[in-house]
Amino acid sequence: MAGATAANAQDTTTAWKGAPQFQNDTLTFKVRGRVYQDFVNQNVERENGTGYEANVTRLRTARLGVEGTWNANWAYKAEFTVAGGSANWEDLILEYKPTDNLSIMAGNFKTVSFENISSSRYTTFMERGPYNDVLDIGRVMNVSVKANGETWTAAASISGDSLNNADPTATANGGNELLGVNGRVTWVPVNGDRDKLHVGAWARYRDRQDQANLTYQTRNNTNYGARFVTTGAVGVSDKMIGLEGLYIHGPFSVQAEWATADVDRIANVSSDFSTYYVSGSWFVTGEMRNLDVKKGELGRTKILNPITSGGFGALELAVRYDNVDLTNFNIPATAGEYSAWTVGANWYPHPYVRFMANYSKSQNDNKALGADVDVDTLQFRAQFDF
């Protein structure tokens, strides 16, 4: 009987994936997290008014969570972040996979845009930029269905509001939260050892329902400081279409996204805007960016000579141009055009640690006479994840 009991028992094994992952048969459990510590120097020059300089050290994010599986079909992830003196939920996901190529997910997560759904642990620059900011495509509550093949993905979602936002107050007129639908498709027609080409498209519709009007605004390629180009809270509903692309040739890569939005405003007024970015990257030490073809997003870069093996690590140089054009909004005066150049350098001692430096030169061209604002931002980051 003792022998039979021992034969039926499952041994718990441990694997290292940035942190210990415990497994017992099909049950897995892993603690995960990340810490980003930033220093920001920002110079603001106003066309008409007093400028200023700011120097701050700040905790960009400290995230802690867990992930795991119950069997081959069910998985979970739960993360929360502490930053700026407050705590918020990040990914909070329950996933069911009836087959290897089909996934049904419910929870708080992102659904559209290549750079947006790729983890910030793997994106090239310290921030995703004004493209992500003005489109407001962060985490919200979703029910999503996703399918994939060897070189393609297709997903569709029904969306609500962010889990971190307050519920709408029920009144005599109702209490419905924001409601949206979206979909995304990707294809990798070139998937060689040194050359990869990713293309994709997405679309989203959302209606604010009984919540506050939608706002379209952007920061200066940083998470710190004020926004000088903004429409204010004017949107009742919007329709967006986005295109995305990434080409990798060994240590070189070019990445770009473009989107347009048609906004229905109060008093039956409509306005539209567009936004895009183009960026290039070069791993001086020969590494290659990691495209996860079956997910349609970036993965962790493999470091050829990490310092843990006596090497130097990886060095990456990058440049980026951003543009947001809100000038089709007739009001307010701050609904202008934003553009910026950013140069960056990243050093990866090994795959789970990165030191980053970004310099952005931004122009905020607004409608009102004397309302333009130029911003120079120099920022550094030390990050690790597990």
Side-chain angles (χ1 to χ4, degrees):
M1 292 179 61
T5 301
N8 290 330
Q10 298 292 334
D11 292 332
T12 298
T13 60
T14 304
W16 182 262
K17 295 188 176 181
Q21 176 175 285
F22 303 98
Q23 181 167 353
N24 189 296
D25 194 17
T26 57
L27 177 68
T28 65
F29 176 84
K30 177 181 177 290
V31 176
R32 55 182 288 142
R34 69 190 70 171
V35 176
Y36 300 168
Q37 180 69 43
D38 291 1
F39 169 80
V40 182
N41 167 266
Q42 190 171 80
N43 280 277
V44 176
E45 295 184 4
R46 301 178 185 273
E47 184 181 8
N48 185 12
T50 303
Y52 60 87
E53 180 179 1
N55 291 280
V56 295
T57 55
R58 59 197 304 264
L59 180 65
R60 175 62 176 90
T61 187
R63 187 179 304 182
L64 186 64
V66 296
E67 66 178 359
T69 61
W70 288 291
N71 56 33
N73 304 108
W74 291 91
Y76 64 90
K77 182 194 295 185
E79 297 179 309
F80 71 91
T81 286
V82 177
S86 63
N88 289 294
W89 286 106
E90 298 290 341
D91 281 340
L92 189 62
I93 302 171
L94 177 64
E95 180 180 17
Y96 172 61
K97 291 181 67 70
T99 71
D100 289 341
N101 303 110
L102 183 64
S103 173
I104 302 171
M105 300 169 61
N108 196 63
F109 53 91
K110 301 173 181 178
T111 58
V112 299
S113 167
F114 178 78
E115 189 174 54
N116 182 49
I117 68 170
S118 295
S119 173
S120 62
R121 296 170 295 169
Y122 315 138
T123 52
T124 303
F125 295 89
M126 289 177 58
E127 302 296 337
R128 292 184 175 90
Y131 183 91
N132 180 269
D133 201 20
V134 73
L135 296 174
D136 191 20
I137 48 179
R139 291 176 177 85
V140 295
M141 293 295 289
N142 296 284
V143 175
S144 181
V145 178
K146 182 176 181 179
N148 73 273
E150 290 299 317
T151 60
W152 61 270
T153 71
S157 305
I158 300 175
S159 305
D161 194 19
S162 169
L163 184 64
N164 298 303
N165 291 342
D167 295 333
T169 302
T171 66
N173 296 323
N176 297 317
E177 76 171 24
L178 181 147
L179 178 65
V181 294
N182 62 78
R184 178 176 181 252
V185 294
T186 69
W187 180 40
V188 180
V190 178
N191 189 25
D193 292 337
R194 285 183 58 82
D195 290 273
K196 297 181 185 292
L197 175 63
H198 163 100
V199 293
W202 58 268
R204 181 184 71 172
Y205 170 80
R206 61 178 179 167
D207 189 307
R208 67 168 174 80
Q209 301 285 310
D210 297 314
Q211 294 189 266
N213 288 338
L214 305 169
T215 299
Y216 308 92
Q217 57 189 354
T218 182
R219 281 197 180 101
N220 294 269
N221 284 72
T222 177
N223 180 259
Y224 172 78
R227 292 178 170 95
F228 301 108
V229 170
T230 177
T231 64
V234 299
V236 175
S237 64
D238 56 34
K239 298 181 286 291
M240 297 182 179
I241 296 174
L243 302 175
E244 57 190 52
L246 169 66
Y247 176 63
I248 300 173
H249 175 66
F252 300 95
S253 69
V254 177
Q255 179 179 319
E257 294 191 72
W258 169 90
T260 183
D262 185 12
V263 180
D264 292 325
R265 301 166 54 183
I266 54 178
N268 295 319
V269 175
S270 294
S271 299
D272 60 74
F273 71 87
S274 63
T275 178
Y276 67 91
Y277 72 86
V278 180
S279 66
S281 165
W282 172 39
F283 274 98
V284 181
T285 45
E287 282 75 10
M288 181 174 174
R289 296 179 76 191
N290 181 9
L291 174 63
D292 191 329
V293 176
K294 293 185 178 181
K295 292 183 178 180
E297 61 188 69
L298 291 172
R300 191 182 301 276
T301 299
K302 180 180 179 181
I303 308 304
L304 298 178
N305 296 293
I307 61 170
T308 50
S309 299
F312 170 77
L315 177 63
E316 180 184 23
L317 304 178
V319 62
R320 175 180 177 124
Y321 178 76
D322 290 275
N323 183 271
V324 175
D325 189 354
L326 299 175
T327 55
N328 282 342
F329 288 81
N330 59 332
I331 55 173
T334 54
E337 182 175 5
Y338 172 89
S339 61
W341 284 96
T342 300
V343 293
N346 302 321
W347 177 49
Y348 305 71
H350 63 82
Y352 293 88
V353 174
R354 180 165 64 166
F355 295 93
M356 311 179 72
N358 285 182
Y359 172 71
S360 296
K361 193 167 188 63
S362 311
Q363 292 182 307
N364 300 268
D365 297 326
N366 289 314
K367 296 176 182 179
L369 185 64
D372 293 350
V373 183
D374 293 338
V375 181
D376 291 352
T377 306
L378 176 65
Q379 48 191 348
F380 301 93
R381 172 172 296 170
Q383 78 171 57
F384 69 90
D385 71 278
F386 54 89

